[in-house]
Amino acid sequence: MREISRSVPVTVAKGDGIGPEIMDATLSVLTAADARLAIETVQVGKSVYERGHTSGMTPEVWESLRRTHVLLKGPITTPQGSGYKSLNVTIRKTLGLFANIRPCVAYAPFVRTRHPEMDVVILRENEEDLYAGIEHRQTDEVMQCLKLITRPGCEKIVRYAFEYVRTHRRRKLTCMSKDNIMKLTDGLFHQVFEEVGREYPEIEQEHRIIDIGAAQLADTPERFDVIVTGNLYGDIISDIAAQVAGSVGLAPSANIGEGDAMFEAIHGSAPDIAGQDIANPSGLLLAAVMMLVHIGQGDIAERIHNAWLTTIEDGIHTADIYDATRMSARKVGTREFADEVIRRLGKQPVQLTPVSYPSEAVAPPRISVETRPLARKELVGVDVFVHWRGGPPSELAALLNRIHSDAVKLEMITNRGVKVWPDGLPETFCTDHWRCRFKAKTPDGTIRHGDIVGILSKVHGVGLDFIKHESLCNFDGVPGYALGQGQ
Ligand code: NAD
């Protein structure tokens, strides 16, 4: 009875592909290490999608999570096609798991890597960016995906990152973004990094454009310590980092929110090797170690992690890291690898550095987001997007110039963001998707919402198919919209 009362409820979902094999291996180690868990097993993924649940989840999963607040999850195969939503993204966003923590560590000389010193933690923003999943087909030729970046979202992940560096006694935080191109969205992420960074003067901090940052991470990962970045960039660079550290099969990940947490391997369901008992269970096992630390079972986490390090050090390797010419002693399958970890429970690695964990549960992050005064917002124009398959841009401009308005005048037309009227170049390739920018011509430089409704109606009136509009606003006098390329 006493044992049961000390057990911490957690929800476990085995997932698809190699998920059930690596989860069974992981659970066997947790059980052998006497992890104090009351496990609720739920079904998610392929079989649930096939039963007609487009999110890959059933209400029972949410009910279980409402009780446990902790999920250990195997990888999921997201069916192709627009009728299905990614279960992973749904869980992260629904539960507000804003921080994704992905440690990528080299285990040299036991696991082959060109970067023996590598020890990088990637902190990936987990809720926003292109993963908002807001996509539209707008014309015959053009699809659109909206990239949404919010100030609270940036503040939460950036502040979490600085706190992470401080509490984990790391030395440096690198921010990666593409703000040389996306000046408003990625520009906000970078700006928040600089603002919040001023409160952490003891932490070395730097910014890298994501493309050169990713290249340097692949080439000289030793130069990085902790990296904070956006959702898509973080997804991509953490796979690169895990692979150059040794294998994508080794890296765990924790998804942390203010109330709930989810732990999983960073790799996918690996359908190419499913059912063969050859997958490396280490990513999920190390994710379970992160879960144990999170729920205050640092003692068990330590036992398992050190036994795992000893297993790796003893050359007991799954196929993905096995290398007979180097430090591998024996190639093992998924189940046998777990058995070998179990045999080493209580042992400490000799060459690899043993880990130690605190025994208290990790306090949930309480990230305060600054409340800022509302900006003075002025409507100064409108971008009207039209689906038009006509002649040269001057023809479209002639159509639009037939519109009479006291409020706005046509300022420019762009195609895929490049200015094509006035003074466009004949070389520019044009598709059937045009952005027509109307700016205020009123004495005070502002317009009203009714003016936009009027313009849309007139655009329709000259026979054009408008597909959307974006209001152009100044915030405290600063334009909240980008110039056209070439403008
Ligand atoms: P993947 O990560 O499943 O596999 C990439 C390669 O790595 C494959 O060759 C695979 O055999 C190998 N690999 C992956 N994990 C391994 C392990 N533990 N041991 C040994 N080798 C391993 O990526 P993918 O093939 O692009 O995706 C397959 C499916 O997984 C897709 O449906 C994708 O949507 C899904 N996916 C799910 C998650 C998740 O649930 N968190 C993450 C990524 C991809």
Side-chain angles (χ1 to χ4, degrees):
M1 237 7 242
R2 257 176 68 225
E3 194 57 29
I4 291 171
S5 65
R6 284 195 300 136
S7 292
V8 176
V10 300
T11 305
V12 167
K14 294 190 177 181
D16 301 319
I18 59 171
E21 302 160 55
I22 59 173
M23 185 62 83
D24 287 344
T26 298
L27 293 179
S28 71
V29 178
L30 291 176
T31 306
D34 294 327
R36 301 175 290 277
L37 303 175
I39 289 175
E40 298 187 11
T41 306
V42 295
Q43 270 209 333
V44 296
K46 198 158 175 278
S47 62
V48 181
Y49 283 116
E50 282 167 1
R51 275 187 274 136
H53 298 275
T54 53
S55 67
M57 311 261 288
T58 59
E60 292 81 64
V61 180
W62 296 121
E63 280 163 29
S64 174
L65 286 174
R66 224 163 272 135
R67 282 189 293 274
T68 66
H69 302 287
V70 177
L71 174 62
L72 179 65
K73 188 184 74 61
I76 304 296
T77 305
T78 304
Q80 300 288 317
S82 56
Y84 300 101
K85 295 304 273 186
S86 160
L87 163 87
N88 298 316
V89 177
T90 303
I91 293 178
R92 290 170 192 159
K93 293 181 65 161
T94 307
L95 299 181
L97 310 180
F98 65 89
N100 190 331
I101 302 140
R102 300 185 157 197
C104 298
V105 183
Y107 302 99
F110 305 101
V111 178
R112 179 203 279 274
T113 172
R114 267 180 278 138
H115 309 289
E117 303 300 318
M118 181 172 179
D119 178 4
V120 177
V121 180
I122 292 167
L123 300 176
R124 162 189 175 194
E125 195 289 317
N126 221 12
E127 296 182 283
E128 326 201 308
D129 199 348
L130 291 157
Y131 288 68
I134 306 174
E135 292 192 293
H136 296 96
R137 178 171 180 175
Q138 296 185 313
T139 68
D140 289 307
E141 296 177 349
V142 175
M143 309 286 177
Q144 173 189 266
C145 176
L146 276 188
K147 171 163 169 144
L148 293 180
I149 302 289
T150 72
R151 179 170 266 279
C154 295
E155 285 185 14
K156 279 201 287 184
I157 186 64
V158 167
R159 195 168 284 284
Y160 182 89
F162 277 106
E163 286 295 319
Y164 183 96
V165 173
R166 186 178 268 175
T167 54
H168 289 78
R169 299 179 197 286
R170 309 284 301 213
R171 65 190 159 82
K172 180 166 97 169
L173 184 60
T174 305
C175 171
M176 292 194 192
S177 75
K178 185 81 183 166
D179 63 332
N180 55 330
I181 302 297
M182 283 161 279
K183 294 177 193 296
L184 295 186
T185 48
D186 283 28
L188 177 62
F189 196 90
H190 186 177
Q191 184 189 333
V192 168
F193 176 74
E194 299 211 328
E195 284 169 13
V196 175
R198 282 184 215 118
E199 296 172 40
Y200 299 83
E202 78 283 9
I203 296 173
E204 191 186 335
Q205 32 197 289
E206 62 179 11
H207 175 266
R208 288 270 179 285
I209 303 282
I210 184 70
D211 35 9
I212 189 63
Q216 290 172 341
L217 182 63
D219 183 52
T220 41
E222 319 71 58
R223 68 160 68 209
F224 296 105
D225 186 22
V226 181
I227 297 171
V228 62
T229 189
N231 203 342
L232 180 61
Y233 307 141
D235 196 2
I236 296 168
I237 67 169
S238 57
D239 268 33
I240 296 175
Q243 193 65 34
V244 302
S247 164
V248 75
L250 293 175
S253 119
N255 300 267
I256 303 290
E258 290 187 17
D260 301 279
M262 171 170 77
F263 301 85
E264 59 184 341
I266 75 160
H267 60 73
S269 55
D272 53 338
I273 57 168
Q276 299 172 38
D277 190 39
I278 57 173
N280 190 342
S282 299
L284 188 60
L285 182 62
L286 294 179
V289 165
M290 293 175 92
M291 176 187 79
L292 291 170
V293 175
H294 179 81
I295 63 175
Q297 297 187 18
D299 52 339
I300 310 289
E302 210 169 288
R303 256 162 74 75
I304 295 176
H305 201 158
N306 284 326
W308 179 84
L309 288 167
T310 312
T311 310
I312 294 294
E313 202 174 79
D314 287 347
I316 311 296
H317 293 167
T318 44
D320 57 319
I321 56 170
Y322 180 80
D323 182 353
T325 62
R326 291 165 55 87
M327 306 298 281
S328 296
R330 189 148 61 88
K331 191 194 281 185
V332 290
T334 312
R335 219 162 342 146
E336 197 181 350
F337 181 83
D339 291 342
E340 293 293 336
V341 175
I342 291 169
R343 279 186 48 206
R344 289 168 178 77
L345 286 169
K347 292 199 172 162
Q348 298 264 331
V350 178
Q351 260 182 273
L352 294 171
T353 312
V355 294
S356 68
Y357 290 116
S359 51
E360 317 81 53
V362 177
R366 291 274 169 256
I367 306 285
S368 57
V369 173
E370 207 182 317
T371 321
R372 304 165 74 87
L374 296 182
R376 186 169 46 85
K377 185 176 175 189
E378 294 163 316
L379 191 56
V380 297
V382 61
D383 279 346
V384 180
F385 292 75
V386 299
H387 177 184
W388 184 66
R389 171 54 73 206
S394 56
E395 237 176 67
L396 178 59
L399 270 176
L400 292 167
N401 276 324
R402 283 185 4 214
I403 292 173
H404 174 75
S405 164
D406 293 331
V408 294
K409 63 174 187 307
L410 182 65
E411 184 184 79
M412 69 163 180
I413 301 174
T414 68
N415 196 289
R416 295 191 301 173
V418 180
K419 189 183 71 154
V420 291
W421 182 92
D423 309 323
L425 297 178
E427 292 86 353
T428 306
F429 174 79
C430 290
T431 180
D432 60 356
H433 181 275
W434 308 79
R435 184 255 306 256
C436 312
R437 174 161 292 179
F438 294 89
K439 289 292 286 291
K441 61 176 186 183
T442 53
D444 69 352
T446 66
I447 59 169
R448 289 192 295 241
H449 284 83
D451 297 321
I452 294 180
V453 176
I455 281 294
L456 292 177
S457 168
K458 287 172 184 171
V459 168
H460 172 65
V462 295
L464 288 169
D465 172 10
F466 67 82
I467 46 187
K468 75 162 188 172
H469 87 274
E470 291 280 354
S471 300
L472 304 178
C473 297
N474 287 349
F475 290 81
D476 289 334
V478 178
Y481 50 93
L483 295 178
Q485 284 150 4
Q487 193 181 8

